[in-house]
Amino acid sequence: MPWDLNSDRPIFIQLIEKIQIDIISGKYAPGDKLPSVRELAQKASVNPNTMQKALAELERTGLVYSQRTSGRFITEDIGMIEQLKTELAEKVITEFLGDMQKLGYQKKETLSFLTELIESDCQQSS
Amino acid sequence: MPWDLNSDRPIFIQLIEKIQIDIISGKYAPGDKLPSVRELAQKASVNPNTMQKALAELERTGLVYSQRTSGRFITEDIGMIEQLKTELAEKVITEFLGDMQKLGYQKKETLSFLTELIESDCQQSS
Amino acid sequence: MPWDLNSDRPIFIQLIEKIQIDIISGKYAPGDKLPSVRELAQKASVNPNTMQKALAELERTGLVYSQRTSGRFITEDIGMIEQLKTELAEKVITEFLGDMQKLGYQKKETLSFLTELIESDCQQSS
Amino acid sequence: MPWDLNSDRPIFIQLIEKIQIDIISGKYAPGDKLPSVRELAQKASVNPNTMQKALAELERTGLVYSQRTSGRFITEDIGMIEQLKTELAEKVITEFLGDMQKLGYQKKETLSFLTELIESDCQQSS
DNA sequence: GTGGTCTAGACCACC
DNA sequence: GTGGTCTAGACCACA
């Protein structure tokens, strides 16, 4: 479990994003119990406090909730998860369009390029 | 001119990418003379040797060529530049599709999401 | 029955206050027989000696009286209970006004704020 | 600067409340620079990390903002401060009404009691 | 054993 | 010097 310790992005932020992805992708289903702070920290090779910080932030946004003595759980509010999924997607898309613009592709060009690439891909692989 | 000294990617690779982008985007036009190694290195706050390594690699791929006494020049082979542009774009797109897949969007979903987002954007801003 | 063992206020003081509240609120009516010291102590998860100290103090002020063989009783002097009620209320009010002052509300502002809040509340709930 | 280390309320929560009061009361005016984390921590006799946690929470709610190298500042959004003031006041009032109810005073009784007490007080002191 | 809190001490980037 | 982050290790309440 390698972490970009060198990256300028704080580890706890990376942890937050990783867990968000795991929730969105369904690795952790709504209502599921998360492993304990200590366990998650060990798996990620980070200090328990760092993992705690990440989880506290996730709790603040409502994605997970904690029960004092029994552990942390994924929210059962599916709408919230869907919303998060959309938000993250928009972020990824915005970044993508920016990269393409740097390469000289305007939005519509990007779109047609992508369309073409996906359609030819579909004919091959599926 | 901040470089990701911390990143695990070698600096000379980052330099190559930056110059490639500058060529594709037209900042350096085909046939243009590049600044001297020393000058480029200074602008990028990088050791001249590192810049030299980057330029040598660009030369190897044919994107720039050097004339012994008068300096380095951008290739005049527009096709090559176009090809590079396409290659980089495909790389960016592949990465993008990968990110979206992590979020649970299949390629076609990504495409329709993107289409929708761009079209609504066009109505607003242009 | 959690006691603020951590609080800097002695437990027996807290016990006195709790019993006073119970008398004022009518949980223990005038003339009622109090449970035994042991029983009260057990309910409160407190050492019987501590409860004894609290009851002795209540006895000293006249709120309860003991009959040698039959136990402790709440005073039948309703006026005394009323007086205590008023005293405690004034204490609560004083503290309240102090808190509001810390927030920047002068007494009259506090009063109008409170009036407004209660009246709007009455229209809704009753 | 004594802190209720014994209290069951986390210290960082108490710190948050104290600073909120200081902002509302005008001790720290909008736009003012706060003392450094280390200085505040020393004054409050707590660990800098604990103070940091409190300030981070205040920053999250928008009451203060930080500039990386020059320090932390109180928000200039006076509306936000006013809103906070109102919220805290409502909280205090609710608690107050609860206490009074425990003593057997209904809301309207509490109100008339308070009114009477304040008016008699005005005739004396002002 | 769980989450939560706190301390002590360290390193970093920025200016 | 500033804020920000991270680690290591400790204690607590709860059940």
Side-chain angles (χ1 to χ4, degrees):
Chain A
M1 303 280 168
W3 289 108
D4 287 355
L5 298 173
N6 301 323
S7 172
D8 47 353
R9 316 189 66 211
I11 294 180
F12 80 93
I13 297 283
Q14 299 178 46
L15 292 173
I16 289 174
E17 291 172 350
K18 169 125 183 26
I19 298 173
Q20 281 180 334
I21 298 268
D22 284 347
I23 292 175
I24 288 171
S25 72
K27 179 174 168 184
Y28 296 131
D32 271 11
K33 185 179 179 303
L34 277 172
S36 77
V37 181
R38 291 163 178 81
E39 193 176 339
L40 283 172
Q42 196 179 7
K43 278 185 189 166
S45 310
V46 298
N47 185 286
N49 279 331
T50 306
M51 183 57 79
Q52 172 83 7
K53 193 170 178 180
L55 292 171
E57 184 64 16
L58 287 171
E59 193 161 352
R60 199 185 60 70
T61 63
L63 251 196
V64 310
Y65 62 94
S66 61
Q67 271 173 336
R68 274 266 177 90
T69 59
S70 55
R72 272 196 182 74
F73 299 85
I74 309 295
T75 181
E76 286 146 11
D77 180 351
I78 297 180
M80 175 177 293
I81 296 179
E82 282 300 318
Q83 187 189 341
L84 176 65
K85 181 175 168 181
T86 308
E87 279 172 12
L88 290 185
E90 282 178 356
K91 194 172 140 196
V92 168
I93 287 177
T94 303
E95 197 180 338
F96 166 62
L97 290 175
D99 284 350
M100 291 300 282
Q101 200 157 11
K102 270 199 243 165
L103 288 176
Y105 291 91
Q106 295 309 314
K107 285 176 186 171
K108 293 200 170 175
E109 294 174 274
T110 298
L111 189 58
S112 52
F113 195 167
L114 187 69
T115 307
E116 187 183 327
L117 211 130
I118 286 180
E119 284 180 353
S120 74
D121 190 57
C122 286
Q123 293 178 349
Q124 286 178 12
S125 64
S126 65
Chain B
M1 304 280 168
W3 292 107
D4 286 356
L5 301 173
N6 301 324
S7 173
D8 47 355
R9 316 185 65 210
I11 292 181
F12 83 95
I13 297 282
Q14 299 178 45
L15 291 173
I16 289 174
E17 290 172 349
K18 169 120 184 29
I19 297 172
Q20 282 179 335
I21 298 270
D22 285 346
I23 293 173
I24 288 170
S25 71
K27 180 175 168 184
Y28 295 133
D32 273 10
K33 183 178 181 300
L34 274 172
S36 75
V37 179
R38 279 183 193 77
E39 195 175 338
L40 283 172
Q42 194 180 9
K43 278 186 187 166
S45 311
V46 149
N47 188 293
N49 284 328
T50 307
M51 184 56 79
Q52 173 72 23
K53 194 169 177 181
L55 291 171
E57 183 62 17
L58 288 169
E59 207 163 313
R60 202 185 57 73
T61 62
L63 250 196
V64 311
Y65 63 93
S66 61
Q67 268 176 337
R68 221 169 274 254
T69 58
S70 54
R72 276 193 180 73
F73 297 84
I74 308 296
T75 182
E76 285 146 10
D77 181 349
I78 298 181
M80 175 180 291
I81 295 179
E82 281 301 318
Q83 189 190 340
L84 175 65
K85 180 175 168 181
T86 309
E87 280 172 11
L88 289 184
E90 283 178 356
K91 194 173 135 197
V92 168
I93 287 176
T94 303
E95 198 179 335
F96 166 62
L97 290 176
D99 284 349
M100 291 299 282
Q101 199 156 11
K102 269 199 248 169
L103 289 177
Y105 290 92
Q106 295 309 315
K107 284 175 187 170
K108 291 201 169 176
E109 292 173 275
T110 298
L111 190 58
S112 52
F113 196 166
L114 187 69
T115 306
E116 188 184 326
L117 214 127
I118 286 179
E119 283 180 354
S120 75
D121 191 56
C122 286
Q123 293 179 348
Q124 286 179 10
S125 65
S126 66
Chain C
M1 302 278 168
W3 290 110
D4 286 356
L5 300 173
N6 301 324
S7 172
D8 46 355
R9 316 185 65 208
I11 292 181
F12 83 94
I13 296 283
Q14 299 179 47
L15 291 174
I16 289 174
E17 290 172 350
K18 170 122 184 27
I19 297 172
Q20 282 180 333
I21 298 271
D22 284 347
I23 292 174
I24 288 171
S25 70
K27 180 174 167 185
Y28 295 134
D32 272 11
K33 183 176 180 304
L34 274 173
S36 75
V37 178
R38 279 181 193 77
E39 194 174 338
L40 284 172
Q42 194 180 8
K43 278 185 187 166
S45 311
V46 148
N47 188 293
N49 284 328
T50 307
M51 183 57 79
Q52 173 73 23
K53 194 168 178 181
L55 292 171
E57 183 62 17
L58 286 170
E59 205 164 315
R60 202 186 57 74
T61 63
L63 251 195
V64 311
Y65 63 92
S66 61
Q67 268 176 338
R68 222 169 272 256
T69 57
S70 53
R72 276 193 180 74
F73 297 84
I74 309 296
T75 181
E76 286 146 7
D77 181 349
I78 298 181
M80 175 179 292
I81 295 179
E82 281 301 318
Q83 188 190 340
L84 175 65
K85 179 175 168 182
T86 308
E87 279 172 12
L88 290 184
E90 282 178 358
K91 194 172 138 198
V92 168
I93 287 176
T94 304
E95 196 179 336
F96 166 61
L97 290 176
D99 284 350
M100 291 299 282
Q101 199 157 10
K102 271 200 245 168
L103 289 177
Y105 290 92
Q106 296 308 315
K107 285 175 187 170
K108 292 201 169 175
E109 293 174 276
T110 298
L111 189 59
S112 52
F113 196 167
L114 187 69
T115 306
E116 189 183 325
L117 214 127
I118 286 180
E119 284 180 353
S120 75
D121 191 56
C122 287
Q123 293 179 347
Q124 288 179 9
S125 65
S126 65
Chain D
M1 302 279 166
W3 289 107
D4 287 357
L5 299 174
N6 302 323
S7 172
D8 47 352
R9 316 188 65 212
I11 293 181
F12 82 91
I13 297 283
Q14 299 179 45
L15 292 173
I16 289 173
E17 290 173 350
K18 167 122 183 29
I19 298 173
Q20 281 180 334
I21 298 269
D22 284 347
I23 292 175
I24 288 171
S25 72
K27 179 174 168 185
Y28 295 131
D32 272 10
K33 183 179 180 303
L34 276 172
S36 78
V37 181
R38 291 162 178 80
E39 192 176 338
L40 283 171
Q42 196 180 6
K43 278 185 188 166
S45 310
V46 297
N47 185 286
N49 280 330
T50 306
M51 183 57 78
Q52 172 83 7
K53 192 170 179 181
L55 291 171
E57 184 64 15
L58 287 171
E59 194 162 349
R60 200 187 59 71
T61 62
L63 250 196
V64 310
Y65 62 93
S66 62
Q67 270 173 336
R68 221 139 310 190
T69 59
S70 55
R72 273 196 180 76
F73 298 85
I74 308 295
T75 181
E76 285 144 13
D77 181 350
I78 299 180
M80 174 178 293
I81 296 179
E82 282 299 319
Q83 188 189 340
L84 175 66
K85 181 175 166 181
T86 308
E87 280 172 11
L88 290 185
E90 283 177 356
K91 194 172 139 197
V92 168
I93 286 176
T94 303
E95 197 180 337
F96 166 63
L97 290 176
D99 284 350
M100 291 300 282
Q101 201 156 10
K102 270 200 244 166
L103 289 176
Y105 290 92
Q106 294 309 314
K107 285 176 185 170
K108 292 201 169 176
E109 294 173 274
T110 298
L111 189 58
S112 53
F113 195 166
L114 187 69
T115 306
E116 188 184 325
L117 211 129
I118 286 180
E119 283 180 354
S120 75
D121 190 57
C122 286
Q123 292 178 348
Q124 287 178 11
S125 66
S126 66

